[in-house]
Amino acid sequence: MTGYDVCADGDLGAVHYLVRQGFGMAGDVFERYRALFGTAALRVLRRDGDISACAAVFDVDQWFGGRPVPARGVACVTVDPIARGTGTGSALVRAMLEEARGAGRALSILYPATRPLYARAGYGPAGVRIEWSAPPAALAGPHSVARPTRQVPPDLGALAALRRTGPALANGMLERSEALWALRLDPLGEGTADLFLLPGADGPGGYAAVLPPRERRLLVPDQCVAGRRAVAEALAFLAGYRAQVDRVCWCGGPDDPLALLAHDSGVVPVQYEEWMLRVVDVERALTCRGYPSRASESLVLDVTDPLLPANHGRFRLTPAAGRGRVERLPSQGAADVALHIAALAPLYTGHRSPSALRAVGLVEGSDDAIMRAEQLFAGPRPWMADQF
Ligand SMILES: CC(C)(COP(=O)(O)OP(=O)(O)OC[C@H]1O[C@@H](n2cnc3c(N)ncnc32)[C@H](O)[C@@H]1OP(=O)(O)O)[C@@H](O)C(=O)NCCC(=O)NCCS
């Protein structure tokens, strides 16, 4: 007998044993996450009465095409070491996906420690998290002077507004809850980063969250800058640490503004992680995201989803003025592109182009259909700084 449940207080000992064995998670770290997200974020899978697997989930909106899409984040997926390799992990992932769909979430997102478990459940690689590193002197010239202002106390509403404006709004960005902000600004659980607002051409152009220098390294756990002036200010500000540190490290995307406008060579990506996404509700996911306003031609997608039958079939997506209208079509008939639900993930987020996906056989479609898909899903390459 298998049962999937929200964790109860009496299950916490068993759940901590699982995450200790799965991730080496110490008790104080477990308690920190529980205080931030609540016991109700934990899920357990029982087999014959015993808890044999657990996970944590949280709801979050994720931005695609300039619109927020309801997503569910998944973390801490762990199976008891004495029960691995017998389908327990797959059963847990499936139960979580069914629950997410029932709760009205369109997407499920996670960082995989191992991919096959999620790939067979319909997740696909969908975006990146890049850690950039540079000697501070590479960021700006020796005479650059920055004029940031320190924000005390942190005003999360103002920071969120900066993240949502203009060119800073990237595909994949999370609309953070207080818990996600706390994790980002204090990733080590040792103290919150100091926050600095960077002047732009017209008011604040972004911010940088900076942890105290340690062992000649400066960690910038969060930053958001857009526009030439704000990026130059950020570079000059971070270069000002050159007497104290040998490296400055920050999280960014593939087209990171700090890397693009750095003064000298030496900026390198030192960590590259791909997160995975699963479309749990095709109609909702396609309806909620935004599209380039110039896209005007419709596309019929034929989606194969062996796990969630409501996603299986044909959908016509018609863009107009940056929004998409989605109609479910009868299952028989022609389609423009045919793809498995796992291949829809990188197409949907713009992580991989339709032509790149077709080149490796993950998407089928004529040249004309692929060109229409290219127009629909074009946009900044997806990334997120958040880690969970
Ligand atoms: C990864 C993990 C959750 C898989 O759970 P499981 O119950 O063993 O998985 P299943 O039996 O349902 O098998 C599903 C797939 O997981 C993979 N898998 C199986 N055992 C695994 C193991 N010990 N380690 C890693 N992956 C494993 C296999 O690819 C398998 O698919 P396949 O049989 O078609 O090759 C489990 O091994 C675990 O808890 N590992 C430690 C914690 C961890 O890494 N969690 C992932 C966090 S993102």
Side-chain angles (χ1 to χ4, degrees):
M1 276 280 292
T2 304
Y4 170 74
D5 268 321
V6 174
C7 177
D9 284 343
D11 299 330
L12 285 170
V15 170
H16 181 230
Y17 151 71
L18 291 179
V19 294
R20 199 171 67 228
Q21 278 299 319
F23 306 101
M25 194 184 289
D28 56 336
V29 179
F30 178 65
E31 280 310 316
R32 179 179 184 224
Y33 290 153
R34 199 168 71 83
L36 285 172
F37 292 93
T39 305
L42 295 168
R43 299 289 180 274
V44 294
L45 192 83
R46 288 188 169 78
R47 285 221 145 141
D48 301 324
D50 292 329
I51 293 178
S52 57
C54 70
V57 298
F58 59 93
D59 287 345
V60 65
D61 284 350
Q62 191 174 27
W63 290 77
F64 290 105
R67 312 266 332 159
V69 182
R72 180 159 287 190
V74 175
C76 294
V77 174
T78 320
V79 171
D80 192 329
I82 61 174
R84 288 181 189 161
T86 57
T88 307
S90 301
L92 175 65
V93 172
R94 181 183 191 132
M96 284 193 291
L97 288 172
E98 284 166 352
E99 186 201 5
R101 186 178 164 100
R105 310 316 289 178
L107 311 172
S108 170
I109 46 173
L110 53 79
Y111 282 93
T114 170
R115 275 202 201 185
L117 168 71
Y118 303 111
R120 55 190 259 175
Y123 287 83
V128 298
R129 178 182 190 276
I130 298 175
E131 191 177 313
W132 293 92
S133 168
L139 298 177
H143 304 298
S144 310
V145 177
R147 311 242 173 272
T149 47
R150 191 168 155 230
Q151 194 193 49
V152 201
D155 177 350
L156 299 183
L159 300 182
L162 280 171
R163 276 160 55 84
R164 273 187 231 112
T165 47
L169 184 55
N171 275 337
M173 192 188 82
L174 297 187
E175 189 62 50
R176 292 182 186 145
S177 60
E178 267 188 44
L180 287 174
W181 272 112
L183 273 191
R184 192 77 314 260
L185 298 182
D186 180 9
L188 309 172
E190 294 173 0
T192 301
D194 291 310
L195 277 154
F196 300 93
L197 293 176
L198 302 153
D202 184 19
Y207 68 86
V210 182
L211 285 168
R214 186 194 273 191
E215 293 166 3
R216 299 204 56 82
R217 185 170 173 266
L218 189 74
L219 184 61
V220 181
D222 195 32
Q223 53 87 18
C224 164
V225 275
R228 198 165 177 142
R229 162 99 198 267
V231 177
E233 291 282 352
L235 290 166
F237 175 57
L238 297 174
Y241 284 84
R242 60 189 175 276
Q244 295 148 277
V245 300
D246 300 321
R247 306 295 301 184
V248 177
C249 298
W250 70 96
C251 274
D255 300 316
D256 183 72
L258 301 180
L260 275 171
L261 286 190
H263 165 71
D264 205 345
S265 55
V267 182
V268 287
V270 287
Q271 207 186 28
Y272 178 96
E273 249 184 305
E274 272 184 318
W275 38 271
M276 296 180 95
L277 177 144
R278 211 276 187 200
V279 176
V280 294
D281 185 329
V282 172
E283 267 175 279
R284 188 177 277 261
L286 291 173
T287 306
C288 288
R289 66 156 287 160
Y291 298 89
S293 48
R294 66 180 178 282
S296 57
E297 290 188 82
S298 66
L299 188 77
V300 176
L301 298 104
D302 190 353
V303 180
T304 303
D305 189 343
L307 206 61
L308 298 178
N311 285 332
H312 192 81
R314 295 188 314 129
F315 302 86
R316 180 185 290 118
L317 169 62
T318 308
R323 301 302 311 270
R325 186 162 51 84
V326 181
E327 297 156 81
R328 196 170 182 121
L329 302 176
S331 51
Q332 303 303 316
D336 295 315
V337 292
L339 72 181
H340 188 270
I341 191 79
L344 182 58
L347 178 85
Y348 179 86
T349 64
H351 182 49
R352 299 290 177 222
S353 71
S355 48
L357 293 168
R358 186 177 65 167
V360 295
L362 289 175
V363 168
E364 285 170 29
S366 66
D367 288 351
D368 171 65
I370 294 296
M371 209 180 67
R372 276 182 279 144
E374 301 269 4
Q375 277 177 355
L376 277 164
F377 296 104
R381 290 190 284 168
W383 71 279
M384 64 171 136
D386 301 80
Q387 228 177 356
F388 46 86

